[in-house]
Amino acid sequence: MTQPPPPPPGQPPQGGWNPPAQPSPQQAPPPQHVPPRQIPQQPPVPQQPPAPPAAPPAPPPSGPGFGQAPYGGHPAAPQQPPPPPGGGGPFAPRGRSPRAVRIFAAVVAVVLVAGGIWLFSVGGEDGNGPRGSEAGVPGGSHAKQLFSLEQPDTHVKDAQGADGSWATEKIYAKSSINAIEGYRMNGERAWRIPLGGPVCAASPHMTDDHRTAVAFEKGSGGCNSVAVFDVDTGKKLWDQPIPIGRTIFGGGDVNLTVAQDTVALSWIGGFAAFPIEGGDPLWKSKETGETCEHSRYGGGARLLVVLECDESLTLNQLDPKTGHSTWDMRLPHNLKDGRAVRIVDTDPIVLVLGIGDASESEVMTIDDDGSIAATFSLGDRYEPGCGIGDLGSEACFNVVATEDMVYIATKEHSGKSDDSLSRTNEVMGFGFHSGEPKWKSGAGEGRTLFPIGTRGDKAIAYVTPADDKGGQVVSVSPGDGEQHGLLRLPDETAEQQSRFRVPTMSRSAPALYVGGRLFLQRSLLYGKNDTDAKEEAPLAMGFGTGR
């Protein structure tokens, strides 16, 4: 297949966007090196290795695979066989799934979420020497409840999604019924942006001056419009139709992100990118005859794209101003399509891959120059918090990473007490460049904990409430998994805190820790017939030491 050359540097592509021809495995494109972030490191504390698996792991398959032959010509770090069972396997040729199947899967996912069907997984091992306890981790400031937002009244009979929440020093913003609403830290509404339809996709990222973007359904015809607004002021900067064109897929499964000052979005059948200040698209797909599809975007510090060209899948780093690729890396062949890739983070780069029919089965870490750092299997033990199906490009909320460590929650399992209903779990630490497990840090009896962010070289984790004890925010040290209390939520609202599901099945993060405050939110608005559920479940809650 012959592809046209990219446009001259500094000019946006005309009439569509195609990548440079892919290099052979022996000829890698020259990487554009991005200096790694300088993060103060703590000396590692010697730890006992985790218990070995019940059966010895299978030998690595021959031929190209994780930790063996590199993709796209970039060298991969030598790897050990993954410690937990399940997932992975040799890379088989990938067949393209019909796009109608994707649409069906998306519809089923929405029905499941809207219908209130939640899936729970059990299993795993007890943590050895858990750092937490039923009473929580010692230390941390005692937080008060800043606000509790009620579910809004609606004329809609059934539940509907409301993706998107953002927090700054002054404002907590949340998508609501056909609108975005901003609240001060005392719960008073500061502004409201009407959209004329429900939000159907939202960027988890903001610019440095707190601008972000959402996609919404204006009128009818599916997810068909995009808007940019200022989170602090509530000013809508612009909105315009998504250039879907005449595709028969109608813009289904929209993925939207913000990277630096660019808004990038893709849908089934096309893609486009806009400057955050508004104006003509920086690049967009052709209505017909497009060579490659932008299946996924990942934003924030970098702009990454999962590029699908016939039978080839690559991860590309793009210049946010032009859409030109600065490096590319071939992805495994046994991914069914580009939507089997979730971009967890872009700095450092972490992917969750769904091999074969799995939605999430492998974690891949990537260095700044586009070379594979490590890969390891999720198996049946871990809970990456990726939601339902393969919806959401950046929707894996319980995997976080620093330059040296990847933190992942395990699934809930029975505790050590005689109470059969007692549940617990752990956070596991994996070496970013080795993929090897380093330690596990337990939640304590009757508690579960999930990583939700990072601060410096530590993970930030949310500890769920237990009985009449409030939840907690803790930091997790990279050397030994030791937990240190940061914020203790009030015991008197423990029941309301427990109404928020972490992990979630939505495309928006269920918990945000910003500026020393914790925000819990749901992305499902109850319909007018769900009176009891609406009264019991707040839309969002905020906690902190002051306003």
Side-chain angles (χ1 to χ4, degrees), residues 179-196:
I180 306 291
E181 297 179 341
Y183 294 86
R184 298 184 179 93
M185 292 305 154
N186 60 2
E188 177 186 350
R189 194 170 79 180
W191 51 259
R192 184 177 189 271
I193 302 173
L195 295 175

Side-chain angles (χ1 to χ4, degrees), residues 459-478:
I460 302 299
Y462 170 60
V463 183
T464 59
D467 296 330
D468 57 349
K469 299 293 183 181
Q472 198 172 3
V473 179
V474 301
S475 66
V476 185
S477 298

Side-chain angles (χ1 to χ4, degrees), residues 171-233:
I171 294 292
Y172 171 76
K174 176 78 183 74
S175 55
S176 186
I177 296 177
N178 301 340
I180 306 291
E181 297 179 341
Y183 294 86
R184 298 184 179 93
M185 292 305 154
N186 60 2
E188 177 186 350
R189 194 170 79 180
W191 51 259
R192 184 177 189 271
I193 302 173
L195 295 175
V199 172
C200 44
S203 169
H205 309 289
M206 297 183 290
T207 62
D208 291 341
D209 53 357
H210 301 157
R211 293 178 291 177
T212 192
V214 295
F216 62 99
E217 181 177 0
K218 190 172 185 177
S220 60
C223 200
N224 55 19
S225 300
V226 60
V228 169
F229 64 97
D230 187 307
V231 175
D232 283 323
T233 66

Side-chain angles (χ1 to χ4, degrees), residues 489-506:
L489 276 55
D491 295 339
E492 56 266 27
T493 60
E495 182 178 356
Q496 288 90 339
Q497 297 165 32
S498 67
R499 301 289 182 181
F500 296 92
R501 299 187 182 275
V502 181
T504 184
M505 299 184 72
S506 75

Side-chain angles (χ1 to χ4, degrees), residues 24-186:
S24 65
Q26 292 77 24
Q27 184 180 3
Q32 175 175 306
H33 180 68
V34 179
R37 296 178 297 174
Q38 299 300 316
I39 297 178
Q41 301 298 318
Q42 295 183 352
V45 179
Q47 295 297 308
Q48 295 296 325
S62 60
F66 286 145
Q68 299 173 47
Y71 304 104
H74 293 291
Q79 299 299 307
Q80 298 296 323
F91 289 172
R94 179 178 61 87
R96 290 175 60 84
S97 301
R99 298 186 186 276
V101 174
R102 297 180 189 168
I103 298 174
F104 175 77
V107 172
V108 171
V110 171
V111 170
L112 287 173
V113 174
I117 300 175
W118 303 94
L119 309 177
F120 295 90
S121 298
V122 298
E125 303 174 5
D126 293 340
N128 294 331
R131 272 70 172 185
S133 68
E134 187 173 357
V137 177
S141 302
H142 287 271
K144 60 183 178 181
Q145 179 180 307
L146 302 177
F147 60 79
S148 178
L149 306 181
E150 296 181 357
Q151 287 272 343
D153 293 328
T154 176
H155 66 281
V156 179
K157 177 180 178 181
D158 298 318
Q160 71 179 47
D163 290 326
S165 64
W166 308 265
T168 70
E169 182 181 354
K170 301 176 181 178
I171 294 292
Y172 171 76
K174 176 78 183 74
S175 55
S176 186
I177 296 177
N178 301 340
I180 306 291
E181 297 179 341
Y183 294 86
R184 298 184 179 93
M185 292 305 154
N186 60 2

Side-chain angles (χ1 to χ4, degrees), residues 87 335-336 340 353-362 389-390:
L335 297 170
K336 59 184 178 182
L353 308 177
I355 302 297
D357 294 329
S359 295
E360 57 270 345
S361 57
E362 311 280 351
D390 60 0

